[in-house]
Every structure is written in structure tokens, then in C-alpha cells.
Amino acid sequence: MAFLNFNLKPKNELEQGGRAAAPVHQDESEPEVTCPNCHKSIPVSKLWANLNVCPCGRHFRVNARQRIGMIADRGSFQEMDADLQADDPLGFAGYQAKLETARISSNESEAVVCGTASIRGNRCCLFVMEAAFMMGSMGTAVGEKITRLFEYALEHRLSVVGFTVSGGARMQEGLLSLMQMAKVSGAVKRHSDAGLFYLTVLTDPTTGGVTASFAMEGDIILAEPGATVGFAGARVIEQTTRKALPKGFQKAEFLLEHGFVDAIVPRKAQADAIGNLLKLHDREAAV
Amino acid sequence: MIQLTPYDRVKTARDNKRPTGLDYINRVFTDFFELHGDRRYADDSAVVGGVAYLNGKPVTVIAIEKGHTTKERMARAFGAPNPEGYRKALRLMKQAEKFRRPVICFIDTSGAYCGIGAEERGQGQAIAENLMEMMTLKTPIISILVGEGGSGGALALAVADRVWMLENAVYSVISPEGCASILWKDAGKAAEAAANLKLTARDALTLSVIERMIKETDIGHPSFYAQIRQLLTEELEALEANDLLLQQRYERFRRIGVQEKETV
């Protein structure tokens, strides 16, 4: 089905995997992005130099590799289980083709990247979900990779930092996807019971089965400004209840107000904030 | 007998004449005493819980209740629990752990309640907490899916040592209608989605997601409830004698999914 993929291109050059250190230079033909918040046009290079955040504060999505580049100390990330991927366990109509498309368009083998890293000098386990891979949906491979990461972290007494972005459990793996919610939660619980630290950063969007499992299981839960975080989809709620949704419904700020996240941390401040929290929870280092 | 299609079973599972949670509570157990409220915010009518005897043994029973009549169904939010329902269930489970009573859950829900209040009060967080806490609850847990097993809203009461399903119960990551409308923009293709989702009890057994499928030939009759009472009694006896209960509960879920498929 590879012929289907000819027209698949990243939405813009930023999402293809640029680097934070890319030089800022502009020419007439440089593509611009119109910010849905302030409605101004921003040259792509300028946006990228600002970690893909508009000067108005609107956080654009970044892919998993870009995220790792922003958060982990340079060269510190060592990937684990890079090739672990789901096949089509249920023989679900159209799933094989969809997987193939996702692999090509995201350049990842699955919807999460896991490994060890240092954040401001603090060694930890890190997982970052990938929205470009079937909207970060959780199937058996995602569940297995994150479970293994927690088991590794338990064995080596490391903290876990996780960036979530997900549409929820992956429909095409049916019940097996659903069971990953319990499986990962079990691994999180074991890690937690051993007195180890787990921090999540909820990024746009984090919904469904991921919200209802490991996204909400962190000892500390951070969120990116403006991120949509919820269990049921806003449109579904609107259609079911036929009520107007409150302003800012299911945004990170709404969750903060209702007591479900500890803090909203802008992208620029995340590495420092997470590094400091990792340090504070590192009992072996503190004397 | 004509073979039912997966979507026929979905419809059977949703039939309002089918026994609901309270029917099981009242006919499998004796001296049920209902315990209300989550001690946080409210009492959720979609989740019924309390203490009872199973063949003379004290147990904690929790059931999602849909109701039979339209009036009952409205009052029970059609068996769609709010966060309070999951928090009440967890409170009762912790109580069961303290007093060393096993926990038995009856599950029948199209899914967790979908609404503004449910989101404001942390539906996702409530489910997540149950998944984590049930994994290490130090008392045996048996969950039986008796009708619809709708996604995370059902799983939040099914992190158990044994999960059983009635023959015509269904257990799915998403409703077939929801799946069809997302994937094919056509809710009319629900039957096709149901077949693809592998949501029947037979499928769940094949996928090793459940341990037992309970026949429904005498559903609703005294012999049906007697059979469930007998199965529960025997299974609990074995589970209570098991020193590796929590280890095995972890492994029960741990093994589901991809195993060694890397190309290292």
C-alpha cells in the first residue's frame, strides 16, 4: 500500500525534525505560519527558534524527537526498544495500511519514544508520545514500551518523566489496547510503591484511555499552556448533553483550576523545572 | 440455534430485560447492605456497592446498575458512572482490604459518564486511580461482565484476579457505533466495526483477556444465579489460599500484548 503515501508530507517543515539551534535567517520565500491564537503570521524559523511557541504564548505541537531535543541534555538520550512495534493482532480492516502510513509520515516505528536521558544533569527514564503516529494512540506496542520503561526504572531506581499526547486507546487493537491501560498502571504502581518518582507533562492533546491511566498517575502532573486534556471528547460531550461547554473547557488552565494538575509550565521553562524536581526527589544525591 | 453475529450480541448485551447489577446482588448474595457515597463529593446512583454474604462468607459487592425501565434507567444515568462512582467503588474496595473480605464486581456499562461535570471532577483521574490501586489491593477480586463492558469505564472495575463474561456480554475499547463513525464516518457500519473489534466473550477468551465464559441458557432463573454463586465460592476459596495473588494479578495483565518482536 506504499503508493498511498506519496502525497504524505509533514504539515510544515518544523514538524519534520529541525533542531533548536537552527540559525535564524529569513528570506522572501520563507514559509509562514498563521497563529490561531493571535492571528499573526510568523516566519517558521522564528517560531522554531522559540521552541515552536508563538510570541503570543501559543504552544504549537512538536514531535517526539524535537521534544527530546528540547528537554534532554545534548547527546544524553539513549533510546530503548526502538524497534518494538505492533503488527495487526486482531486482523482489523485497514489497520496494516494505516500503520504503514503512520510509520512513513512520522518516521517513527510506534507512537511513543522511550529511553534514558539526563535533564539538567539528572539521569532519568523518559518517554515522549508522538502525535504524528496515529494521534499518539496506545496499542500493545505503546503499552509494552512504557511498561518496560517503568520496569527498567524500578530495577535501576530511576525517576520517570513522561510527555503525553494521545487520542486514547487505539481502536484497531481492540481489547488488547484497553488492557494496556491496566498493564501500564500496574507498572507505574510498582515503581511508585518502591518510593520512586514519576512526573508527567500533559501536552496537547491528552485524552481518553491515556488520560484515564498513566497521564494522571504521576506524583507530579505538569501541563503545557493551552493543552487540551480530558477523558471524553469535547464534541461528544456537547452532542450528548446538548449543553454549551464552559469557556476553556478541558484546557490545561481548566484542569489546574479544578485541581487535576500541579502546575502549568511553559515549554521554555520545562527543562529547568523538571531538572529541579528530579534533583529534589533524588534521595541518593541529597546528603 | 442460529449463530449470533458480534453485533447481535451487542444488542443482546444492551437488552433492558437482561438481569442488571442489582438482580445479581439480590439473587446471588444474601443480607446485602448498601453503602453509599464516595466521601468526597456525592453518591453515584450508577454504582451500587455494599456488604453481603456469599454462601455465608462476608464479601464486598460492587455493581454498575443500569435499571430496567426507562424511569429506572434515567435515575441510574443508564449505568454510566461519574467519577464519584469509581471513587465510591475504590473506597469500598479499600474497606474490603482492611477487613479481609474479597471483592466481587458486576460490570454493565456503555462507558463512563460523558458530561461536563464528570470532566470537571476528573473522570480520567478517577479511572486511573482505580487501575493503579486495584492492581495491589491485598484481597481477591473477581469481576464479571454481565452486559456491556464499555472501555475504561468498565476496566475501572475489572483489574481483577479473575475476569469472567456472560456468553452474550461484550467487552470493547469503544462502542461499535463510535468506532464506525470515527473510522468510516458512518455509524451505520456498526455491525462491521463490532466484528472487527473482537468484542465477544469468545473473542476475549481467545485473547486471554478473560478466564471464563458463563453460559446463558438459563439466564435469570434460580439455577443461573445458583451457578454463579457456586463458581464464585469455589474460585474465591482458591484465590484466598494463593500466596502469590498480587504477583499473579500483575502478570495477568503484564503478558497481554506484544512480546518479543524486536529485530535486535
Side-chain angles (χ1 to χ4, degrees):
Chain A
M1 303 294 275
F3 64 90
L4 286 175
N5 305 319
F6 275 42
N7 295 325
L8 280 167
K9 283 184 187 150
K11 281 188 215 100
N12 60 50
E13 290 178 11
L14 285 180
E15 294 182 13
Q16 202 166 24
R19 285 291 172 266
V24 182
H25 62 83
Q26 243 180 290
D27 58 51
E28 295 293 307
S29 59
E30 188 186 340
E32 295 193 328
V33 178
T34 305
C35 173
N37 183 46
C38 67
H39 306 291
K40 287 183 187 151
S41 292
I42 320 137
V44 159
S45 59
K46 194 177 165 196
L47 193 61
W48 183 245
N50 195 33
L51 305 179
N52 224 10
V53 178
C54 177
C56 77
R58 209 265 184 188
H59 283 56
F60 286 81
R61 285 180 193 160
V62 292
N63 69 32
R65 303 283 163 184
Q66 291 169 333
R67 176 78 71 181
I68 292 166
M70 290 172 182
I71 204 79
D73 298 343
R74 189 178 289 261
S76 71
F77 182 71
Q78 288 195 299
E79 191 168 358
M80 292 160 62
D81 298 312
D83 299 321
L84 196 141
Q85 57 187 50
D87 44 17
D88 177 15
L90 305 184
F92 198 108
Y95 184 37
Q96 291 279 13
K98 212 162 257 185
L99 278 174
E100 209 170 309
T101 305
R103 278 174 195 140
I104 291 165
S105 63
S106 69
N107 208 17
E108 296 291 347
S109 60
E110 259 296 344
V112 69
V113 179
C114 297
T116 55
S118 288
I119 299 175
R120 297 290 192 257
N122 300 278
R123 197 164 172 258
C124 64
C125 283
L126 176 66
F127 72 84
V128 182
M129 301 185 80
E130 175 57 74
F133 195 105
M134 295 184 76
M135 207 20 160
S137 61
M138 172 170 57
T140 51
V142 170
E144 180 69 22
K145 284 176 83 166
I146 298 177
T147 301
R148 286 187 189 185
L149 189 72
F150 273 94
E151 289 176 342
Y152 180 89
L154 174 61
E155 193 186 331
H156 298 272
R157 298 203 60 81
L158 289 168
S159 300
V160 177
V161 173
F163 285 79
T164 60
V165 48
S166 181
R170 191 175 297 167
M171 289 181 288
Q172 292 89 343
E173 294 185 36
L175 263 183
L176 299 176
S177 293
L178 185 68
M179 293 304 126
Q180 303 309 307
M181 290 169 63
K183 174 166 132 181
V184 175
S185 297
V188 174
K189 186 65 166 41
R190 284 190 160 189
H191 182 260
S192 177
D193 285 351
L196 298 168
F197 178 55
Y198 171 36
L199 178 145
T200 56
V201 185
L202 314 178
T203 74
D204 187 62
T206 296
T207 60
V210 168
T211 297
S213 62
F214 56 87
M216 284 291 167
E217 291 169 349
D219 297 295
I220 290 183
I221 302 175
L222 307 180
E224 267 194 355
T228 295
V229 180
F231 177 62
R235 232 180 325 140
V236 181
I237 295 174
E238 203 161 30
Q239 284 163 6
T240 319
T241 61
R242 292 188 192 138
K243 282 184 196 154
L245 301 175
K247 198 165 178 286
F249 184 64
Q250 291 185 330
K251 294 295 173 196
E253 296 73 14
F254 177 91
L255 269 88
L256 182 73
E257 190 189 326
H258 286 88
F260 289 97
V261 301
D262 289 290
I264 295 176
V265 183
R267 200 169 284 161
K268 217 181 258 182
Q270 285 171 8
D272 281 339
I274 295 169
N276 287 338
L277 288 167
L278 285 170
K279 184 166 173 242
L280 186 144
H281 285 85
D282 187 350
R283 282 204 209 150
E284 272 105 58
V287 188
Chain B
M1 205 179 117
I2 305 158
Q3 190 65 37
L4 296 175
T5 68
Y7 198 53
D8 289 336
R9 292 195 200 273
V10 172
K11 287 186 269 188
T12 307
R14 290 173 180 167
D15 189 343
N16 63 2
K17 290 187 284 297
R18 211 173 158 76
T20 61
L22 273 171
D23 295 317
Y24 291 93
I25 288 181
N26 291 326
R27 314 230 3 221
V28 173
F29 306 89
T30 53
D31 299 315
F32 175 67
F33 188 83
E34 186 172 359
L35 303 170
H36 291 275
D38 67 347
R39 301 293 191 269
R40 298 284 184 274
Y41 179 77
D43 182 47
D44 186 356
S45 56
V47 177
V48 176
V51 286
Y53 287 100
L54 173 74
N55 261 340
K57 170 200 272 300
V59 294
T60 288
V61 195
I62 299 162
I64 300 179
E65 171 61 23
K66 271 188 180 172
H68 291 284
T69 64
T70 304
K71 202 178 157 192
E72 283 169 2
R73 293 196 153 210
M74 299 281 285
R76 300 283 181 187
F78 296 84
N82 268 288
E84 301 80 74
Y86 296 114
R87 292 181 182 132
K88 169 165 69 177
L90 184 58
R91 176 176 80 84
L92 298 182
M93 288 186 214
K94 293 276 184 185
Q95 192 184 69
E97 180 181 53
K98 174 178 175 182
F99 296 107
R100 298 175 186 199
R101 288 191 290 265
V103 176
I104 298 149
C105 298
F106 293 91
I107 296 162
D108 184 12
T109 182
S110 59
Y113 192 81
C114 176
I116 295 166
E119 296 293 317
E120 287 174 332
R121 299 191 299 279
Q123 188 71 281
Q125 188 276 337
I127 294 170
E129 188 169 10
N130 280 21
L131 303 185
M132 255 179 115
E133 295 300 325
M134 288 179 79
M135 193 62 86
T136 52
L137 196 84
K138 293 180 207 70
T139 194
I141 310 172
I142 299 178
S143 296
I144 311 180
L145 290 118
V146 296
E148 282 184 278
S151 196
L155 181 66
L157 295 181
V159 181
D161 301 298
R162 298 286 181 268
V163 181
W164 299 343
M165 280 176 80
L166 292 200
E167 192 181 356
N168 289 321
V170 292
Y171 196 6
S172 182
V173 70
I174 186 169
S175 73
E177 293 82 3
C179 179
S181 62
I182 293 171
L183 282 186
W184 305 309
K185 313 282 174 231
D186 181 2
K189 288 187 175 169
E192 202 178 323
N196 273 286
L197 283 166
K198 304 280 189 291
L199 46 60
T200 68
R202 174 71 64 195
D203 292 327
L205 201 58
T206 308
L207 295 168
S208 300
V209 167
I210 64 167
E211 281 80 18
R212 181 188 289 278
M213 182 172 84
I214 299 168
K215 287 274 178 199
E216 289 190 14
T217 36
D218 57 347
I219 190 166
H221 289 87
S223 59
F224 172 73
Y225 295 108
Q227 183 204 358
I228 291 178
R229 188 184 309 121
Q230 189 58 29
L231 289 171
L232 285 172
T233 306
E234 286 167 13
E235 197 69 44
L236 285 177
E237 205 168 306
L239 291 173
E240 284 183 323
N242 187 347
D243 294 331
L244 299 171
L245 192 71
L246 297 188
Q247 177 67 25
Q248 288 173 5
R249 190 183 301 158
Y250 183 80
E251 281 160 10
R252 185 190 180 282
F253 291 92
R254 180 66 188 88
R255 63 169 190 265
I256 301 175
V258 272
Q259 300 304 326
E260 292 305 319
K261 283 214 180 78
E262 299 129 292
T263 48
V264 179

